[in-house]
């Protein structure tokens, strides 16, 4: 039974029958069926299997059709009728003939909804007056008893209004088509109606009408239509570049032959879907499919296009044979591939296109066959082309007489004769692989063949009498030259030899190809085929066409800078690894003339194929922005490639050079006698070179090699002169810059920004070191950096007055990680290291943010603080592990970390959060990540600068600094008065940062193994203010904002850092003098290594005594003034100070009841230690137990309401109940109200009360068991009812509405204990038990987030009373599970069940809640810092001594959200729930960024980029 029937049957009633009678499978093909699998299973393409077809044809019983919706069919009746019969289903609206919908509509909706999917053709439905067709070539729709698509489908751009109706994606549409159009039979007429006329009624089409009676059709006498969807191969074929065409065509032919023999009156429509399978596999969503195919890169445009058109070519050859047109009642019509364009910009699940059914183009509405409609067969095209083709000689005339080699093997690359070369090789793409080079005109099938033996630069088929290639020319001089490719095959075939070119390759593949080349040459050395050390080698590199063709998809990735950087990587590798090599670097040709081949129809070029191969060039009109960009990039590819070579970096060795060969740069397209682009030079795709062009290319390259550098031909002609250029007798050498007397145009060294390295010994260790203490500069292979805006490069290249440009991150100029230009122009640490190892990688170039391609391993983020270092460190580790250009395990790495300025600039706002201990602890967490995960690393930990001198510069009246702007970026430094306690505190904190870091590193924590160390570099410890001769501060060392540093300063920082790295520990320079001439140090013979504690003979100071074990989880509160109480009892909640709070209370569940908080075993786990509950416990004092009441008791010792001890005996106003849910909050509120009113220790009317409400954990944990009961609507309703009680009944109250935590993190908290393994999964089954990535987990995570956002919005409703405020406290929303030193969840925060919090966890919750209370709304931290410190509690400031509410935070009124309208969620609540505590930029930068963000959102509101750069300043 056809699988497609499953879509229309009642699945439950008929499931067992279908499973027993399912005839379609991955390995079974039937000619009567369509593709009825998702596109991922297109390898199950439906072809006829003779036995299967025969069984159907040999049972020509009465055939039936169904017209009603399958879901309403009687299953038993259906099963009886389907057995041994061929069934046909009703047509969906997509394929029904069109009729004015107004006539069928019962209301206006139908008329506006369906026309797009109906057939907009003017069809004669008076079938009785039209005689039945006697020939398949005069077949009308009314003659067919089955309705399918009329002719073909094509892609049509449209609005998104109708997409959801039938096709949410391309994949879904094709699946729907394949499931519902399987041989749809009609009683008669052109619809599904009897011959008496009329169309199917709308209600019947929509499945609302009753099923119509089944009618019988004649197998022998009635016309039949069969659609067959075919594809060339399985998805893995694209990855593996396997061609399944021949096999597929054989199966198609066998199927059609049998149908032709057995079926009368049949029209077969053959639809090629090869392109769709390529689109599907290319989708980002199907990376796993590619992985299962061992295909880790998306199929290239080349692979997809070649497979698509070669298969179409083969199908056309089959059909054009006319073997199926021997009878008048049978034919096969080929429908070529669907025109799916722009596939790289869309994926199979988000396809912004719609389908349009085309009407017949001829006057009479016959089905198109290859006899009644024009169809230009390939054989006709070939004949026409061959008649136009002029004879062409691919041989060459060789007349050179001086063929001798040098008398002795040359030792200099500048003295090479042609015969001196013993080895020839090539890297590149399909032009070098020879795709289509030997293809006959319009033989698209042959485009897949890599004719490597004909390749212009590396092919060796035949000889010059038959085939002109560069190796064949060289063989005239040296017949024994090795390495050229022969015949056909891929780069891994034996025929390829040293032709490592891969079709579809881009510049980013060159390093890999170079590495493979070296490997292959060394293998040939082992077999004595070549002498790797002694033989001279000629390598030709030609790359860039595919990069240009993809520019429009990602201009940043394919930028000229990235292009040249990738080529440089390959050349640097070759220079270091290969002795005696001459490299031809052929610059990319002008690619835009391709448009003429494409646009001019007289060329006969296949436009669809050309667009598939180079869409960015050919899809856009001349004058468009896309074409302008390609023109610019094309030119810059050429110019920057030339600049790279002319820098002279490849002319420093006598046995290696790189020479630009520009003969293709300005090449003009060939034309015939009529001025039409001459496609005879091209392969059948008009994109690759044909044999004719390969011959020309070989001659042109050969001639270029003997033309002096600086005077080379750059516009190869297309004349018919086939003579080979002969080297002059008096100058027989291949030309280099040296023997051309060419002095490359040089830029004089920059005396300010550049530096000169005088070191003579720049060699690496003889053997790669295994110890970090024996690391030479040349051993470093990778550089990386973490930090803030100083490392990101903000403002380095900004003009002196261009303040707005400071937002730009000039990462390529950054002192510790930039790699722009060369050392004599730009001084950076990487540019210094590149002098020792040209293969160094990891450095950033140009400008961009931390996620841009240009950043590479520069993970610094403007505005970052020490707390961000662990995140940056982990991001760096992840990127390094994934990067295939480095050897993560084996390469030595230098990682520079510089952080702290933004911490200092914010230290006055929170002395606890930005304390020296917290600062150092955050850096420790980052270093621990690197220490545990990164092998072979030398870490530069640059000490935080002394920022006090910056104050003197900015506030000096003699300089012009934007003081207001600079003050906003570092208010703690610049807004305080001189000679004040605040300024002294800043100095003391600055010094403490430096000392704390020194003491930490001196602990030797990171000197536990031989492959990792951290060295503190103190260059910033004592900076000197640069001054002009008149004593005025020299602000040319600063960026225009007078806060960041200019390139002038960055150059000096790089010199200082480099020198610090070579200075022994204990003797490092710690004075930063910007104006001092600082020559670059060199490693010495006695001390050639980067200095570490070990090779410096440095003895760490005696460590401080080990701190005593933590005795308790109390806190120290160091506020200067605990008298934060109003002079009189405030009447407004917005003027409420901590000391004004007289009463505390709390509602909630087991977390508020402190379930198991001090448990030591499962026996006492159920105990409720209410006295240490985070929000309401009052045991002891703050110094022993950190709880909210103990904090408040510092401000008001007479506080009432807190609970003490265990159980409910002394619970006071802690009415929380273990196991409670949101539905229980109303009863708790009433119980609290009753207790307060009856209390004799408080004044219910006059006392200010603080009530903390925290609930939702149990609702989340049980949500999957009763979604209605625990729905978002009910949850919010219960909380509103609770708040309503307080709002109406309780005077003078401040409500902490604590948002539900991010519960997912608890899934990772595990231990091998009964409590963790058994109790936790049962305590929270809905969150703990679902597997990762499951729909259940995704659903519960969304519910978790919805609760956070909607609870955060609740306070908006309660703002009309002056003595009442509810404030959402978001510290839990982004909290992650705390980790121990090994990176595992820290179980000390959890009770014995790994689910509830321990005493330590309660202390952290109390700290976070208190800090949230004195943070303005929208600036509240949405995460908790799980690091032990007794000084994390914030203090109210003198300027803002009040508890923050919506009103005193300055927020506007907005609407309260509903469950179904997320757009009504107040913006502040979204910020609180998602990004609490993140302060974006200083004022001027914030304005600029917000403008850019708004523009971006207006352009495409559906794209939301994750905010990953945050901070209070840069």
């Amino acid at each position: 039974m056809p699988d497609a029937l499953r879509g229309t049957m009642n699945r439950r009633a008929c499931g067992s029958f279908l499973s027993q009678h399912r005839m379609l499978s991955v390995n079974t093909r039937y000619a009567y069926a369509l593709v009825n699998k998702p596109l991922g299973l297109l390898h199950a393409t439906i072809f006829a299997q003779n036995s299967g077809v025969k069984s159907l044809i040999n049972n020509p019983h009465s055939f039936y059709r169904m017209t009603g919706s399958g879901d309403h069919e009687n299953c038993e009746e259906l099963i009886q009728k389907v057995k041994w019969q061929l069934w046909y289903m009703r047509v969906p609206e997509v394929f029904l003939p069109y009729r004015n919908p107004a006539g069928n509509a019962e209301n206006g909706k139908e008329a506006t909804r369906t026309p797009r999917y109906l057939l907009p053709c003017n069809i004669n439905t008076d079938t009785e007056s039209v005689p039945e067709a006697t020939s398949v070539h005069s077949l009308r729709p009314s003659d067919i008893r089955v309705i399918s698509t009329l002719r073909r489908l094509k892609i049509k751009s449209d609005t998104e209004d109708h997409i959801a109706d039938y096709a949410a994606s391309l994949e879904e549409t094709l699946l729907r088509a394949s499931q519902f159009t399987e041989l749809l039979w009609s009683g008669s007429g052109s619809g599904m109606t009897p011959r008496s006329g009329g169309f199917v009624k709308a209600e019947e089409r929509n499945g609302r009408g009753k099923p119509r009676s089944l009618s019988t059709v004649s197998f022998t006498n009635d016309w039949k239509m069969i659609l067959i969807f075919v594809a060339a191969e399985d998805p893995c074929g694209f990855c593996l570049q396997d061609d399944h065409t021949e096999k597929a065509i054989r199966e198609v032919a066998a199927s059609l032959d049998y149908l032709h023999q057995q079926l009368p009156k049949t029209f077969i429509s053959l639809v090629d879907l090869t392109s769709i399978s390529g689109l599907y596999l290319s989708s980002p969503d199907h990376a796993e499919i590619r992985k299962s195919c061992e295909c880790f890169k998306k199929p290239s445009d080349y692979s997809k296009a070649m497979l698509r058109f070669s298969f179409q070519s083969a199908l056309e050859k089959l059909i054009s044979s006319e073997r199926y047109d021997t009878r008048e009642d049978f034919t096969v019509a080929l429908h070529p591939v669907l025109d799916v364009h722009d596939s790289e910009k869309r994926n199979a699940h988000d396809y912004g296109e719609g389908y349009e059914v085309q009407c017949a183009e001829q006057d009479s509405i016959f089905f198109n066959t290859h006899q009644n409609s024009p169809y230009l067969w390939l054989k006709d095209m070939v004949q026409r082309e061959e008649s136009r083709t002029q004879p062409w000689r691919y041989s060459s005339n060789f007349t050179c007489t001086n063929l001798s080699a040098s008398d002795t093997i040359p030792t200099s690359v500048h003295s090479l004769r042609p015969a001196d070369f013993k080895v020839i090789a090539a890297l590149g793409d399909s032009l070098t692989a020879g795709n289509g080079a030997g293809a006959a005109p319009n033989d698209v099938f042959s485009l897949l063949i890599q004719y490597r033996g004909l390749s212009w630069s590396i092919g060796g088929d035949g000889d010059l009498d038959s085939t002109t290639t560069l190796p064949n020319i060289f063989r005239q001089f040296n017949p024994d030259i090795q390495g050229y490719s022969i015949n056909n095959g891929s780069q891994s075939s034996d025929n390829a030899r040293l032709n490592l070119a891969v079709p579809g390759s881009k510049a980013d593949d060159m390093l890999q190809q170079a590495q493979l080349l070296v490997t292959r040459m060394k293998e040939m050395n082992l077999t004595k085929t070549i002498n790797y050390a002694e033989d001279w080698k000629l390598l030709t590199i030609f790359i860039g066409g595919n990069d240009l063709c993809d520019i429009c998809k990602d201009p940043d990735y394919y930028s000229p800078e990235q292009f040249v950087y990738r080529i440089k990587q390959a050349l640097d590798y070759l220079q270091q690894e290969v002795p005696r090599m001459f490299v031809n670097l052929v610059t990319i040709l002008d690619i835009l003339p391709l448009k003429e081949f494409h646009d001019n129809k007289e060329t006969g070029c296949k436009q669809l194929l050309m667009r598939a191969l180079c869409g960015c060039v050919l899809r856009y009109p001349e004058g468009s922005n896309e074409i302008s960009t390609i023109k610019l990039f094309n030119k810059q590819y050429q110019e920057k490639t030339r600049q790279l070579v002319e820098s002279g970096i490849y002319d420093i060795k006598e046995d290696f050079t790189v020479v630009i060969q520009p003969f293709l740069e300005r090449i003009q397209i060939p034309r015939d006698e009529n001025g039409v682009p001459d496609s005879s030079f091209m392969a059948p795709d008009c994109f690759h070179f044909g044999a004719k062009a390969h011959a020309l290319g070989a001659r042109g390259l050969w001639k270029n090699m003997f033309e002096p550098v600086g005077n080379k031909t750059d516009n190869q002609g297309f004349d018919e002169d086939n003579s080979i250029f002969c080297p002059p007798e008096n100058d027989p050498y291949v030309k280099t810059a040296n023997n051309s007397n060419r002095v490359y145009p040089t830029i004089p060294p920059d005396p300010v920004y550049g530096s000169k390295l005088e070191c003579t010994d720049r060699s690496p260790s003889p053997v790669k070191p295994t110890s970090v203490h024996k690391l030479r500069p040349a051993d470093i292979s990778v550089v990386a950096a973490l930090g803030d805006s100083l490392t990101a490069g903000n403002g380095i290249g900004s003009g002196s007055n261009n303040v707005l440009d400071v937002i730009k991150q000039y990462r390529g100029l950054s002192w510790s990680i930039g790699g722009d230009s060369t050392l004599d122009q730009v001084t950076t640490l990487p540019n210094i290291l590149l002098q020792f190892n040209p293969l160094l990688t990891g450095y950033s170039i140009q400008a961009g943010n931390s996620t841009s391609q240009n950043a590479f391993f520069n993970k610094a983020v403007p505005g970052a603080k020490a707390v961000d270092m662990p995140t940056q460190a982990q991001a760096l580790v992840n990127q390094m592990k994934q990067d295939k250009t480095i050897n993560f395990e084996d390469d030595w790495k230098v990682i520079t970390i510089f952080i702290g300025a933004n911490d200092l600039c914010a230290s006055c706002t929170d002395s606890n959060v930005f304390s020296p201990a917290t600062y150092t602890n955050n850096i420790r967490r980052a270093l621990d990540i690197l220490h545990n995960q990164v092998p072979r690393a030398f870490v530069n930990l640059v000490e935080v600068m002394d920022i006090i001198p910056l104050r003197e510069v900015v506030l000096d009246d003699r300089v012009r600094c934007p003081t207001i702007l600079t003050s906003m970026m570092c208010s703690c430094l610049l807004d305080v008065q001189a000679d004040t306690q605040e300024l002294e505190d800043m100095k003391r904190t600055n010094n403490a940062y430096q000392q704390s870091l020194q003491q930490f590193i001196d602990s030797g924590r990171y000197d536990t193994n031989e492959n990792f160390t951290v060295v503190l570099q103190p260059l910033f410890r004592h900076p000197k203010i640069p001054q002009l001769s008149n004593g005025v501060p020299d602000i040319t060392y600063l960026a225009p904002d007078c806060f960041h540093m200019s390139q002038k300063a960055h150059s000096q920082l790089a010199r200082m850092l480099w020198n610090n790295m070579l200075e022994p520990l204990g003797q490092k320079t710690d004075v930063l003098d910007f104006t001092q001439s600082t020559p670059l140090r060199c490693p010495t013979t006695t001390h050639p290594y980067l200095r570490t504690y070990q090779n410096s003979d440095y003895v760490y100071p005696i460590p401080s005594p080990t701190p005593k074990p933590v005795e308790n989880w109390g806190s120290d509160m160091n506020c200067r003034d605990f008298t934060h109480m109003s002079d009189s009892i405030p009447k407004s909640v917005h003027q409420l100070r901590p000391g004004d709070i007289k009463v505390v209370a709390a509602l909630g569940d087991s977390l508020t009841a402190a379930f198991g908080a001090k448990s030591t075993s499962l026996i006492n786990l159920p105990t409720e230690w209410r006295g240490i509950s985070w929000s309401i416990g009052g045991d002891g004092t703050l110094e022993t137990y950190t709880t909210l009441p103990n904090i408040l008791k510092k401000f008001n010792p007479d506080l009432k309401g807190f609970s003490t001890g265990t159980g409910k005996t002394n619970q006071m106003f802690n009415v929380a109940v273990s196991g409670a849910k949101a539905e229980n909050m109303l009863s708790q509120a009433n119980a609290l109200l009753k207790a307060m009113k009856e209390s004799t220790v408080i004044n219910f009317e006059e006392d200010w009360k603080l009530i903390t409400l925290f609930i939702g954990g149990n609702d989340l944990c049980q949500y999957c068991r009763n979604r209605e009961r625990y729905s978002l609507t009910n949850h919010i309703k219960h909380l509103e009812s609770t708040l309503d009680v307080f709002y109406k009944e309780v005077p003078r109250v401040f409500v902490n509405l604590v948002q539900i935590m991010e519960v997912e993190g608890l899934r990772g908290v595990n231990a091998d204990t009964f409590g963790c393994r058994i109790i936790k999964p049962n305590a929270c089954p809905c969150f703990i038990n679902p597997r990762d990535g499951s729909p259940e987990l995704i659903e519960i995570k969304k519910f978790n987030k919805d609760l956070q956002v909607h609870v955060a919005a609740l306070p908006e409703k309660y703002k009309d009373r002056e003595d009442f405020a509810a404030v959402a406290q978001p510290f839990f929303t982004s909290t992650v599970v705390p980790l121990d030193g090994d990176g595992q969840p820290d179980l000390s925060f959890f009770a014995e069940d790994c689910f509830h919090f321990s005493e330590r966890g309660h202390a952290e919750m109390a700290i976070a809640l208190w800090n949230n209370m004195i943070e303005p709304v929208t600036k509240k931290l949405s995460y908790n810092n799980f690091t032990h410190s007794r000084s994390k509690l914030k203090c109210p400031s003198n300027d803002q001594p009040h508890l923050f509410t919506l009103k005193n935070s300055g927020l506007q009124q907005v609407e309260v959200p509903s469950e179904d309208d997320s757009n009504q969620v107040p913006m502040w609540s979204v910020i609180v729930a998602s990004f609490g505590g993140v302060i974006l930029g200083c004022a001027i930068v914030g304005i600029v960024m917000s403008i850019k963000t708004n523009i971006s959102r207006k352009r495409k509101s559906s794209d939301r980029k994750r905010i990953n750069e945050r901070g209070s300043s840069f």
Side-chain angles (χ1 to χ4, degrees), residues 33 74 323 472 486 654 683 749 875 989 1395 1402 1472:
N74 180 284
R323 62 200 285 180
N472 282 349
I486 59 173
E654 276 296 307
T989 301
F1395 184 74
H1402 277 266
V1472 168

Side-chain angles (χ1 to χ4, degrees), residues 1108-1117 1157-1159 1172-1174 1179-1188 1190-1191 1378 1386-1390 1397-1408 1425-1433:
K1108 296 179 180 180
V1110 176
E1111 297 179 356
N1112 57 62
W1113 300 110
S1115 296
D1116 299 321
M1117 201 167 190
K1158 296 184 71 173
S1159 61
I1172 62 170
S1173 173
W1174 59 293
D1179 279 357
T1181 64
L1182 179 60
E1183 286 71 26
T1184 56
Y1185 296 108
T1186 304
T1187 67
L1188 182 60
N1190 283 349
I1191 297 170
D1386 191 340
L1387 298 181
S1388 67
F1389 288 90
F1390 299 95
F1397 284 112
S1398 65
E1399 178 187 350
R1400 184 180 184 183
H1402 277 266
E1404 291 294 335
M1405 292 169 69
I1407 294 169
N1425 178 15
F1426 284 104
T1427 55
H1428 176 60
S1429 172
R1430 294 182 64 89
S1431 56
K1432 289 163 58 175
L1433 291 169

Side-chain angles (χ1 to χ4, degrees), residues 885-904:
T885 63
I886 70 170
N887 187 324
F888 180 70
E889 298 294 333
D890 198 50
D891 286 345
W892 279 103
K893 312 160 192 74
V894 164
I895 303 173
T896 302
I897 303 176
F898 178 62
I899 198 68
N902 291 319
D903 297 76
L904 287 170

Side-chain angles (χ1 to χ4, degrees), residues 748-756 796 813 822-828 1034 1036-1038 1046-1055 1073-1080:
D750 192 298
V752 177
Y753 304 143
S755 297
K756 187 175 182 180
I796 298 178
L813 301 176
T822 54
L823 181 61
D824 61 346
Q825 302 298 318
V826 177
T827 304
T828 65
D1034 186 354
T1036 61
Y1037 287 90
L1038 295 175
S1046 68
Q1047 187 177 353
K1048 198 172 180 180
H1050 273 263
S1051 301
Q1052 187 70 344
L1053 293 180
R1055 299 183 191 107
D1073 189 340
F1074 286 100
T1075 60
Q1076 181 182 9
S1077 175
T1078 306
L1080 297 176

